[in-house]
Amino acid sequence: MTARLRWFWARLDANYWFYPALFVVGAVLLAIVTLWLDHHGHGAFVERIGPPLAPTPNSAHTMLQIIAGAMLGAAATVFSITIAAVAYASGTYGPRLLANFLEDKGNQFSLATLIGTFVYALCVLNSVRMDENGQPGFVPQISLIGAYLLTALSVGVIVYLLNHIPSSIRINHVLEGIGRRLLGDIRSRFPDEDKGSPVDEADAGESLYASGTGYVQLIDFSGLTRLAREKDCTIALEVRTGDFVHRGKALARICGGTAEGGLAETLASHFTLGAVRTPEQDIQFLFDELVEIGLRALSPGINDPFTAITAMHWLGAATAELGQRDLRKREGLDDGVRRVFPLPDDFDHFAARGFGAIRGAVATSPIAARVMLDTLADACGPIRNGERRAILHGEADALIELARNALAGPDLAVVEAQYAAARARMA
């Protein structure tokens, strides 16, 4: 349940409408509080100060109308600019990055502030009473000051957006956001340093199959651990977060028990399936984003090797971090006894998803090939595990083989020299 609540909050927090809706509720509540203060005479001190803080009902009515109209127009403009930036970025860098821009907290809070100010101004506007039939009007002074303050905040938000949106679609900024999130996820997912400990392996058992279709977005490991304890068995997973499953695909094997009694349905309920992959439990998703940007940059239609170089630098940082980590997963442990065996994410798997996936395109670019060889040597430096170092050696060997087929003449000679230097550093 805890894992599901965290996943639900992560999905809710990523929605573009969530914070604007929350700010609308907050604006209504704030208006109720300030209007209560005004109706109970707490705004009398403002009237004693006089203009410009104590306007007439007519001027207050006009001012609130202007604020409400301006905020609605500004919110529409902000939304249009954001959508234009998202369309440009997803078309240039890849549709997989669409969620990154929609989840951007700067865009979400800015739109929420403008809409919240609009709603607050409407609520206060409704309480202003004009002078009629000899009856004095009513101006909610404290509420009006609140509207002024929110308007000033909204102006600051607009200025912030004019700088934030162009900056957020710069490719170096995009790659840095993905890379830093990837490094943070690696450190939190694999907190221990590598000591060469072998990965736990489960015994053979009876397979349990999926009944739904979609990408695995969440695996409730705590729920699976409780289920294994109740059934006095162990569960070995056959899929990881981010894999696509369909009816009849094996989800897990049950060892030491039987699949009778609705166990298959109960186990399947601990897997959340959806139409898209999400990065919450899926480190590979962030690897794929970096690779996608690099592949697009190296495509003949774009031919931007320097963007691919930046992507490879972040891939190298993530690979070096993984190479120093104990990649055994903590999930599935019950008082030190492993009851759930996640599908292992060994170092070879991540190297193949990163450098292995981009290798073919890199081999066609002399600049990118040289940088990849240098990046592999840098990533290999802090890694002490011999098997993992050999995997990076293999990536360098595979790259030079492809480069020998794709390049010729001086370009190939330069890459060959860089390969020799990289191998010497990696030895």
Side-chain angles (χ1 to χ4, degrees):
M1 182 59 68
T2 302
R4 289 185 177 276
L5 287 174
R6 287 201 304 267
W7 179 84
F8 175 76
W9 168 250
R11 292 295 88 214
L12 188 65
D13 183 60
N15 279 295
Y16 197 59
W17 56 264
F18 175 66
Y19 285 104
L22 198 62
F23 275 44
V24 165
V25 175
V28 172
L29 294 177
L30 179 61
I32 291 173
V33 171
T34 57
L35 288 172
W36 183 90
L37 293 173
D38 284 315
H39 281 292
H40 286 75
H42 295 284
F45 73 95
V46 180
E47 296 180 357
R48 290 194 295 270
I49 296 175
L53 289 181
T56 64
N58 287 336
S59 61
H61 191 274
T62 301
M63 183 60 67
L64 288 170
Q65 282 183 320
I66 292 173
I67 291 174
M71 291 304 105
L72 187 60
T77 302
V78 167
F79 182 75
S80 300
I81 294 174
T82 302
I83 294 302
V86 166
Y88 166 79
S90 62
T92 304
Y93 310 139
R96 194 186 303 271
L97 297 173
L98 180 64
N100 294 38
F101 294 97
L102 293 178
E103 293 175 12
D104 185 276
K105 291 298 177 285
N107 296 338
Q108 290 180 345
F109 280 107
S110 298
L111 181 63
T113 301
L114 296 174
I115 293 178
T117 303
F118 164 73
V119 172
Y120 179 84
L122 283 184
C123 293
V124 176
L125 177 64
N126 190 51
S127 69
V128 177
R129 293 199 304 268
M130 301 295 186
D131 297 318
E132 294 180 350
N133 301 324
Q135 297 295 323
F138 172 73
V139 178
Q141 303 290 355
I142 294 179
S143 301
L144 194 59
I145 291 175
Y148 292 155
L149 293 175
L150 287 176
T151 302
L153 176 62
S154 298
V155 172
V157 162
I158 293 172
V159 174
Y160 161 77
L161 272 178
L162 293 177
N163 174 72
H164 174 71
I165 291 180
S167 298
S168 67
I169 61 176
R170 291 175 55 201
I171 186 59
N172 285 350
H173 180 86
V174 173
L175 288 167
E176 180 188 16
I178 299 171
R180 292 199 183 281
R181 181 172 184 177
L182 175 56
L183 291 173
D185 287 355
I186 290 172
R187 290 165 185 152
S188 61
R189 187 78 177 273
F190 307 112
D192 300 325
E193 295 290 328
D194 176 47
K195 295 182 176 60
S197 303
V199 176
D200 299 330
E201 296 184 2
D203 298 329
E206 184 178 356
S207 295
L208 303 177
Y209 300 96
S211 56
T213 302
Y215 289 99
V216 179
Q217 295 180 329
L218 172 78
I219 300 176
D220 184 4
F221 288 101
S222 58
L224 289 173
T225 304
R226 288 193 300 271
L227 178 64
R229 186 195 313 125
E230 293 170 2
K231 301 296 182 180
D232 192 24
C233 64
T234 59
I235 299 173
L237 301 186
E238 296 286 347
V239 296
R240 56 172 62 89
T241 312
D243 287 351
F244 188 83
V245 302
H246 51 78
R247 184 172 177 269
K249 181 177 175 63
L251 285 179
R253 302 190 316 274
I254 178 171
C255 312
T258 175
E260 297 178 355
L263 180 58
E265 292 77 9
T266 304
L267 181 136
S269 68
H270 294 290
F271 291 78
T272 300
L273 305 182
V276 296
R277 293 171 60 189
T278 59
E280 271 66 47
Q281 282 186 347
D282 187 5
I283 292 179
Q284 301 170 61
F285 181 83
L286 300 172
F287 268 95
D288 292 346
E289 284 189 328
L290 292 174
V291 169
E292 180 178 8
I293 292 175
L295 290 175
R296 278 176 169 265
L298 291 171
S299 64
I302 297 177
N303 192 23
D304 178 15
F306 295 101
T307 293
I309 286 171
T310 306
M312 284 189 290
H313 284 157
W314 286 105
L315 281 174
T319 302
E321 192 69 41
L322 281 167
Q324 301 172 72
R325 298 283 169 175
D326 183 351
L327 300 184
R328 294 179 301 170
K329 296 179 180 177
R330 289 185 169 186
E331 296 91 343
L333 292 174
D334 181 28
D335 293 332
V337 178
R338 180 164 293 282
R339 294 188 178 275
V340 177
F341 293 80
L343 198 62
D345 290 331
D346 54 19
F347 185 73
D348 190 15
H349 170 78
F350 287 113
R353 291 299 284 256
F355 288 113
I358 203 174
R359 182 200 309 139
V362 169
T364 64
S365 169
I367 298 175
R370 291 168 57 194
V371 171
M372 179 170 165
L373 289 167
D374 190 54
T375 303
L376 286 170
D378 289 339
C380 194
I383 298 175
R384 296 293 173 260
N385 187 304
E387 293 182 0
R388 296 177 181 181
R389 293 175 64 89
I391 290 171
L392 296 184
H393 293 178
E395 290 293 337
D397 294 341
L399 174 61
I400 195 62
E401 287 299 322
L402 290 173
R404 287 165 181 162
N405 293 326
L407 303 175
D411 287 341
L412 179 57
V414 171
V415 175
E416 290 277 12
Q418 185 67 42
Y419 169 71
R423 286 290 295 183
R425 291 172 55 196
M426 298 168 73

